[in-house]
Amino acid sequence: MIRTLHKFILLIVYFLTSLIFGQVSLSILEYRPFPDKISLLDIEPTVLSWSIANRFLLLDQNQREMIELGTFGDVTLAGGLGQGGHTYGDLVWMGISPEGIWVLDRIENLISHLDFRLNPVKTEKIEPRIFPENATLDPWGRLFLYSRTYNSIFIFENGSLLEQPFINLSREFEKTIHMKDMSINQDGDLGILSADGEVHFFNRLGQKQNSYPSGIINAEFLTPIRGSWFVFNKLGKGMSVKSQEMVSIPGASVPVIDVATMNRSLAVLSQDHILILNAKFK
């Protein structure tokens, strides 16, 4: 009863709150609390991704489990990833494409393909073994893989890895780039957030364009929203990369575990809920 009342109070607070800074505002669209089933499954999500029909994919990297959270609190547990005796290794990323759901295993160098009901379809090996640590999908369904081992970004498409790196980071920068996050916007431009707080942009051909300071301390997340790019830290502080306008995520959703965007909407993964925000530009 107390827990239900607490969630209700948070919901009221969220919908009465709109944080506006400069010409960018984040208004609250929806507060989606986790149903009790997630706790009963002993799942603590660490990675968030949009799914179809306003649903969300949640990945627990520690338990190596993935679920889908529906609009009415219904939970679907993935029946398994991989084929041919492969088991979960180190799951570092998941995403959705027109073909279904992709899950990346760093240690096993595997990409598992599931359908939209979370049923396994096939598993594809990544050769050579690049041990990818991060990934992002472009609007045309190509998968971009970051490998710290090769200090490069590769493209995976049509079931195979292109041998030549799409971006060789050693050639682009005088110093080693330790990546925190990367993402691709609706135009196919690639953004990289480095551990030193710099944001670097490349066009769809892999040519370096510009670099900007993130403007906030301990930036963790880089995400495109329409024509703009934003960085956020785990404390919910954020900034528009190019205009340097400040934005913020409501404190009740802090610490931020992960973020994901779709069009104008920003989804924020917190410990026991997902907060959906709408970005408005004046």
Side-chain angles (χ1 to χ4, degrees), residues 252-272:
S253 294
V254 171
V256 176
I257 298 174
D258 197 12
V259 298
T261 57
M262 179 177 288
N263 297 324
R264 289 177 182 261
S265 296
L266 174 71
V268 180
L269 174 62
S270 189
Q271 185 176 5
D272 61 357

Side-chain angles (χ1 to χ4, degrees), residues 30-142:
E30 184 182 351
Y31 166 76
R32 193 173 298 186
F34 290 163
D36 293 335
K37 185 176 181 179
I38 292 181
S39 296
L40 294 174
L41 291 171
D42 196 28
I43 291 176
E44 297 180 359
T46 55
V47 180
L48 172 71
S49 176
W50 290 84
S51 186
I52 60 174
N54 200 30
R55 299 181 178 187
F56 289 99
L57 297 172
L58 298 169
L59 175 65
D60 184 335
Q61 294 170 294
N62 298 318
Q63 297 293 334
R64 302 190 295 275
E65 294 282 2
M66 186 175 70
I67 62 173
E68 183 181 64
L69 178 62
T71 54
F72 300 103
D74 49 305
V75 175
T76 303
L77 182 66
L81 295 178
Q83 295 178 343
H86 295 294
T87 59
Y88 294 126
D90 182 13
L91 306 184
V92 295
W93 177 89
M94 64 178 176
I96 189 166
S97 74
E99 299 175 352
I101 300 165
W102 291 4
V103 183
L104 180 62
D105 188 322
R106 180 183 67 87
I107 293 179
E108 299 292 338
N109 279 275
L110 295 175
I111 296 175
S112 294
H113 179 200
L114 290 75
D115 64 21
F116 293 115
R117 295 184 178 180
L118 273 64
N119 298 311
V121 176
K122 61 181 177 180
T123 300
E124 297 177 293
K125 290 185 178 181
I126 302 173
E127 295 291 349
R129 297 169 64 84
I130 63 172
F131 303 100
E133 299 188 6
N134 205 338
T136 186
L137 281 162
D138 74 4
W140 303 277
R142 297 186 302 172

Side-chain angles (χ1 to χ4, degrees), residues 8-259:
F8 178 75
I9 293 173
L10 282 176
L11 180 61
I12 296 299
V13 172
Y14 282 150
F15 277 95
L16 291 177
T17 304
S18 178
L19 300 177
I20 303 176
F21 298 84
Q23 300 299 308
V24 183
S25 67
L26 297 178
S27 59
I28 295 161
L29 291 179
E30 184 182 351
Y31 166 76
R32 193 173 298 186
F34 290 163
D36 293 335
K37 185 176 181 179
I38 292 181
S39 296
L40 294 174
L41 291 171
D42 196 28
I43 291 176
E44 297 180 359
T46 55
V47 180
L48 172 71
S49 176
W50 290 84
S51 186
I52 60 174
N54 200 30
R55 299 181 178 187
F56 289 99
L57 297 172
L58 298 169
L59 175 65
D60 184 335
Q61 294 170 294
N62 298 318
Q63 297 293 334
R64 302 190 295 275
E65 294 282 2
M66 186 175 70
I67 62 173
E68 183 181 64
L69 178 62
T71 54
F72 300 103
D74 49 305
V75 175
T76 303
L77 182 66
L81 295 178
Q83 295 178 343
H86 295 294
T87 59
Y88 294 126
D90 182 13
L91 306 184
V92 295
W93 177 89
M94 64 178 176
I96 189 166
S97 74
E99 299 175 352
I101 300 165
W102 291 4
V103 183
L104 180 62
D105 188 322
R106 180 183 67 87
I107 293 179
E108 299 292 338
N109 279 275
L110 295 175
I111 296 175
S112 294
H113 179 200
L114 290 75
D115 64 21
F116 293 115
R117 295 184 178 180
L118 273 64
N119 298 311
V121 176
K122 61 181 177 180
T123 300
E124 297 177 293
K125 290 185 178 181
I126 302 173
E127 295 291 349
R129 297 169 64 84
I130 63 172
F131 303 100
E133 299 188 6
N134 205 338
T136 186
L137 281 162
D138 74 4
W140 303 277
R142 297 186 302 172
L143 184 61
F144 290 71
L145 303 173
Y146 164 65
S147 167
R148 180 182 293 186
T149 302
Y150 287 85
N151 197 33
S152 297
I153 296 173
F154 295 83
I155 294 178
F156 185 91
E157 63 177 336
N158 299 324
S160 64
L161 187 76
L162 301 185
E163 291 187 7
Q164 293 298 320
F166 176 67
I167 300 173
N168 185 329
L169 298 175
S170 297
R171 294 179 180 175
E172 297 292 342
F173 302 97
E174 295 181 357
K175 58 183 179 180
T176 301
I177 295 294
H178 297 288
M179 186 183 296
K180 297 290 289 186
D181 199 9
M182 71 175 183
S183 189
I184 294 178
N185 67 8
Q186 61 186 8
D187 298 321
D189 299 323
L190 173 68
I192 295 174
L193 171 63
S194 62
D196 61 3
E198 293 287 318
V199 181
H200 310 281
F201 292 109
F202 297 80
N203 64 20
R204 67 178 65 180
L205 299 177
Q207 299 168 337
K208 189 174 183 297
Q209 301 299 294
N210 299 296
S211 297
Y212 299 86
S214 66
I216 59 173
I217 298 174
N218 298 324
E220 289 279 340
F221 312 107
L222 174 66
T223 183
I225 305 179
R226 288 297 174 98
S228 299
W229 289 83
F230 293 84
V231 289
F232 293 91
N233 62 20
K234 292 183 178 180
L235 297 179
K237 303 300 181 183
M239 176 176 282
S240 173
V241 174
K242 297 182 180 180
S243 70
Q244 300 289 290
E245 296 175 56
M246 298 295 297
V247 292
S248 186
I249 293 169
S253 294
V254 171
V256 176
I257 298 174
D258 197 12
V259 298

